[in-house]
Amino acid sequence: MDYFNYQSGQLYCEGVRLDAIAASHGTPAYVYSSATFLHHYQQLARAFAPLEALICYSVKTNSNKHILRLLEQAGAGFDIVSGGELFRVLQAGGDPAKVAFAGVGKTDQEISEAIEAGIGFFTLESAEEAENISRLAEGLGRKVAATLRVNPDVDPKTHKYITTGKKLTKFGVDIEEAVAFFEKYSDLPGLNLVGLHMHIGSQITTINPYVTALKKMLGLIQTLRSRGYKIEWLDLGGGFGADYQSDTAPLAPDYATALVEMLAGQDLRIAMEPGRFISGNAGVLLTRVLYVKQSGPRRFVIVDAAMNDLIRPALYDAFHFIWPVQPAEGFVPTERTSEPAMDGLIKADVVGGICESGDFLAKDRLLPPVRRGDLLAVFTAGAYSFSMASQYNSRLRAPEVLVNGSEQKLIRRRETYSDLTAGEQ
Ligand SMILES: *Cc1c(COP(=O)(O)O)cnc(C)c1O
């Protein structure tokens, strides 16, 4: 679900025409819908309200501080994975007490900054890290709260690069080792072990992996409690899917129902770290066709966006629906799918101008006939899109525009050539 809609043959973001945004800010450009961010956040907040869950938006999916402020004002906390993300949250006015800090490679500097900022809790990823955080906290005269990230060994059946809760991934500690971990580290001088954390993967579109993982976690909590450990918090992590093709991702209540039932009456404070679910559908990448070229049997639509703007197709073989902003008559899409049921479509690869064969946004894609100069929208570019963008090939990173009703605001300007060399003293 999102607020990008065709009206009279024009694609709009809420009340703003996308061709108007292209005219004022150029292409490529990311366009975000405030209402879509808030819709998804509020859906989750409502669905998990019976648990009074703390919803920590995953900053890495879309880290623009204007987006963080939008969600902070809606009541969100934040899930961070670096000192840079903490900096962004603080700049956006986020409450440090509602920040959870995960990641297997936190540096001493990042840990100290987070302790000094007074974050809510650390997510422990290893024994050595627990000792290190405790040591640094003690040095600062503090005792910090932490959850232990447990790997429940569940396969969420998503792309292997975004599977994070199976054995042999680098995250957390194996579930069999959790009791021993509590025995060893529950009274470190600088660390208060307040609960458990899980994060089994990303773009998960069925509830079963969560139910399976949660069962294991509740069993572990029972064992830990029976041994006298106080388990106050359970962080469910993120991973709820976004809708890359129409109606393929469950709605918030679908995710929530079973989990809320299992967690009611467990005497646990619940946190969660949704990212893509909130931001994925809230953005499009606006791009212009530079050239159309036929190469033997293959047709290439060459656009001014590239893998440096959107690396997901190259990295994860991800599908992003792509469609003209001003489709010719008869070509207004009724749903976003890889197999649009329409006559007169052509098949093409949509590619960028980078010197890599992996630089594509879509392969063998059915599209209405397009020409040089046409504007295309690459949908579901609100998550892991700008935040994974680079300057590869010395390309300038694209601007970000945030729409709210009939208003649009440039929330990050396009980079300039001098930005490219600014740090190279
Ligand atoms: C990336 C990440 C998330 C968010 O994942 P989504 O699939 O975007 O919801 C949540 N928690 C942790 C620890 C992460 O690394």
Side-chain angles (χ1 to χ4, degrees), residues 58 60-61 79 81 102 149 197 199 201-203 237-240 273-277 384:
S58 171
K60 72 173 183 275
T61 64
D79 156 49
V81 290
R149 181 167 182 172
H197 173 283
H199 173 64
S202 195
Q203 188 53 17
F240 298 163
E273 304 168 342
R276 185 197 309 267
F277 181 86
Y384 303 105

Side-chain angles (χ1 to χ4, degrees), residues 17 62 69 142 150 175 236 284 346 350 408 422:
R17 279 168 66 148
N62 186 322
R69 191 167 301 135
R142 305 278 275 277
V150 171
I175 192 156
L236 303 173
V284 301
I346 56 156
V350 181
Q408 51 155 309

Side-chain angles (χ1 to χ4, degrees), residues 9-33:
Q10 286 284 346
L11 183 58
Y12 282 72
C13 175
E14 304 187 19
V16 178
R17 279 168 66 148
L18 288 195
D19 65 335
I21 292 179
S24 35
H25 300 292
T27 55
Y30 304 86
V31 183
Y32 303 133
S33 152

Side-chain angles (χ1 to χ4, degrees), residues 79-132:
D79 156 49
I80 63 167
V81 290
S82 73
E85 289 190 349
L86 176 60
F87 174 78
R88 286 179 174 279
V89 167
L90 297 176
Q91 276 216 334
D95 178 359
K98 293 203 279 189
V99 167
F101 189 177
V104 295
K106 304 176 194 80
T107 65
D108 290 11
Q109 185 183 335
E110 289 176 316
I111 293 166
S112 300
E113 286 164 2
I115 294 168
E116 282 173 333
I119 66 160
F121 39 89
F122 286 90
T123 303
L124 303 177
E125 304 261 4
S126 66
E128 212 165 314
E129 187 197 45
E131 287 173 358
N132 194 37

